[in-house]
Amino acid sequence: MSALTPDNFSLLEKQGIELPSWAFGNSGTRFRVWTTEGTPRDVFEKVADAAEVNRVTGLAPSVALHIPWDKVDDYAALRRHAEDLGVALGTINSNTFQDEDYKFGALTHEDDRIRRKAIDHHLECIDVMDATGSRDLKIWLAEGSNYPGQTDMRARQDRLNDSLRTIYERLTGEQRLVLEYKFFEPSFYHTDVPDWGTSYAQVATLGERAMVCLDTGHHAPGTNIEFIVMQLLRLGKLGSFDFNSRFYADDDLIVGAADPFQLFRILVEVIRGGGLNNPDVAFMLDQCHNIEAKIPGQIRSVLNVQEMTARALLIDHAALSAAQSANDVLGAQAVFMDAFYTDVRPALAEWRESRGLPADPMAAFAASGYQEKIESERVGGTQAGWGA
Ligand code: PSV
Ligand code: MN
């Protein structure tokens, strides 16, 4: 059984996983949003909680914002606040799914006024990026239709392309556009960007700084997600991940909780395709913690990604390619599974300590008193929730 090498550790040391600001707010389902003591009342408090995750793991150097949920008057002040806490402001997520005008679409809308309004919202997001120093604009579109014949799907693709081009042309310098796909919900018959192929077809026409975002929860059950990862890396178009896990639909559960082996398989392809620690491929979480504690939920999530990355690094590539070339099916599978079944947790704990981090970040957070502090301090005001 192989063990992690110094080279593996130096790759792990460079790993960074962006946290979503909304993971720290209250969330739930369409039936109920649950409240929790100590929940942030504004984005400054969300960033402070995210910084705690980074403090105990050294793995979460940036926080993604959602506009307008995280809108503030002074982005320079928010940026300073984040930097003082040792984190950066990351991806800016646009929102075209909570405005009455967007009931029948936003960037695809037939009505030019509404489509222009949705484009302008994205231009405003790019203004935010200029102020926060964020590189990526992430676009997820809720639009589509519920009934066959309801709308002209093809005309919508053309309008989408025109809208995306207008947005893309406003980007400057290193800024990028990443287009997320999702196979259904909230539209149930057709979705305008349902799959990686559509996202790829759209961004490929825009230019080099337009990429695909792969949210692991946005596929039909049984989809071979690692194949998509391989293909997008091969095409140089995998811009980012939204990591989470799911049992049924877009459950937004802790990454690696529902199917650790799938997370392993994805990370194997990331490594194989040169996507690990590659600045072109942003690692982000997109999760909600409905019933579990939020900060520990995020700590567990980034540790799960780190642990599966470590296991994926253990693959004996010489043995694997020898078995593959010889069509040794069982031999290849044995090499693959050996890496997956290796318990890297003790080695990672020791390594964390050697870098001045807690061996057990979950325990360190629990012992830190931070949760008790925010529960006693954050009284009054309105708690932030999913959607605010
Ligand atoms: C949509 O389900 C999504 O995955 C997009 O990334 C959104 O921005 C995010 O969730 C927020 O809920
Ligand atoms: Mn997402």
Side-chain angles (χ1 to χ4, degrees):
M1 195 66 60
S2 43
L4 289 161
T5 64
D7 281 353
N8 295 157
F9 283 121
S10 65
L11 288 171
L12 290 167
E13 192 165 353
K14 294 190 191 90
Q15 190 165 39
I17 303 154
E18 187 162 299
L19 308 184
S21 69
W22 53 100
F24 300 96
N26 287 325
S27 61
T29 65
R30 66 196 171 95
F31 299 103
R32 172 85 189 159
V33 169
W34 305 105
T35 58
T36 314
E37 279 182 83
T39 293
R41 279 102 25 108
D42 58 32
V43 64
F44 286 83
E45 291 180 349
K46 291 180 193 173
V47 168
D49 290 2
E52 272 303 287
V53 177
N54 191 46
R55 189 181 64 75
V56 294
T57 64
L59 260 175
S62 59
V63 194
L65 304 182
H66 219 298
I67 303 298
W69 302 344
D70 297 321
K71 219 168 166 166
V72 290
D73 291 334
D74 187 350
Y75 288 99
L78 183 62
R79 183 179 182 167
R80 276 196 306 278
H81 170 71
E83 284 166 4
D84 287 348
L85 293 167
V87 292
L89 300 177
T91 303
I92 300 299
N93 291 254
S94 62
N95 184 328
T96 51
F97 47 93
Q98 288 181 312
D99 187 305
E100 199 60 27
D101 269 345
Y102 300 144
K103 188 169 175 180
F104 296 108
L107 294 184
T108 61
H109 207 290
E110 274 178 87
D111 181 336
D112 279 346
R113 179 192 68 81
I114 295 176
R115 194 159 71 88
R116 187 66 231 182
K117 172 174 163 172
I119 292 170
D120 287 345
H121 165 63
H122 288 87
L123 302 187
E124 185 197 341
C125 286
I126 300 171
D127 291 341
V128 173
M129 289 161 67
D130 291 341
T132 54
S134 304
R135 182 190 60 168
D136 290 349
L137 170 66
K138 174 148 71 76
I139 304 180
W140 169 68
L141 299 169
E143 45 218 276
S145 65
N146 275 2
Y147 297 101
Q150 180 193 320
T151 187
D152 181 348
M153 296 188 288
R154 180 172 169 153
R156 292 170 74 96
Q157 285 299 305
D158 296 338
R159 289 194 292 269
L160 174 60
N161 197 251
D162 182 76
S163 302
L164 290 174
R165 176 160 298 108
T166 310
I167 297 164
Y168 183 77
E169 280 167 4
R170 162 68 181 83
L171 297 172
T172 52
E174 301 286 293
Q175 290 175 340
R176 309 190 306 171
L177 178 161
V178 289
L179 182 62
E180 185 171 349
Y181 60 92
K182 178 172 172 176
F183 77 120
F184 90 111
E185 196 202 26
S187 297
F188 295 117
Y189 166 59
H190 107 273
T191 294
D192 289 308
V193 189
D195 49 30
W196 75 267
T198 305
S199 178
Y200 177 79
Q202 286 288 345
V203 299
T205 66
L206 301 179
E208 272 189 0
R209 283 173 297 110
M211 312 278 274
V212 178
C213 170
L214 185 157
D215 183 314
T216 51
H218 289 187
H219 305 84
T223 303
N224 183 338
I225 298 175
E226 58 273 24
F227 180 89
I228 301 171
V229 170
M230 172 281 289
Q231 187 68 286
L232 286 171
L233 283 167
R234 196 180 148 263
L235 297 166
K237 279 291 185 194
L238 182 60
S240 56
F241 279 103
D242 269 8
F243 282 115
N244 49 49
S245 72
R246 51 79 67 83
F247 287 102
Y248 300 103
D250 186 20
D251 305 347
D252 282 338
L253 298 175
I254 287 174
V255 55
D259 187 349
F261 185 42
Q262 180 186 65
L263 179 59
F264 172 81
R265 299 188 317 256
I266 289 171
L267 288 162
V268 169
E269 287 304 330
V270 167
I271 295 166
R272 164 75 177 87
L276 184 66
N277 302 334
N278 176 342
D280 290 347
V281 185
F283 275 39
M284 299 185 286
L285 303 181
D286 178 9
Q287 293 179 187
C288 291
H289 302 293
N290 300 350
I291 54 168
E292 66 276 27
K294 298 166 201 320
I295 301 172
Q298 290 286 282
I299 296 171
R300 170 56 65 214
S301 302
V302 294
L303 293 177
N304 284 353
V305 176
Q306 183 181 58
E307 189 183 323
M308 280 304 157
T309 307
R311 291 199 202 190
L313 286 168
L314 284 179
I315 288 192
D316 179 343
H317 285 283
L320 185 63
S321 34
Q324 288 172 344
S325 311
N327 285 318
D328 177 0
V329 176
L330 294 176
Q333 209 234 348
V335 173
F336 203 81
M337 298 312 287
D338 269 354
F340 174 66
Y341 282 122
T342 305
D343 187 359
V344 293
R345 288 173 300 179
L348 289 177
E350 225 176 85
W351 169 69
R352 274 186 209 109
E353 257 188 335
S354 74
R355 296 161 59 225
L357 287 165
D360 180 349
M362 293 290 281
F365 175 74
S368 71
Y370 184 87
Q371 187 63 38
E372 293 75 8
K373 182 170 165 290
I374 59 175
E375 285 180 19
S376 67
E377 283 176 7
R378 293 179 186 169
V379 285
T382 308
Q383 294 190 327
W386 189 91

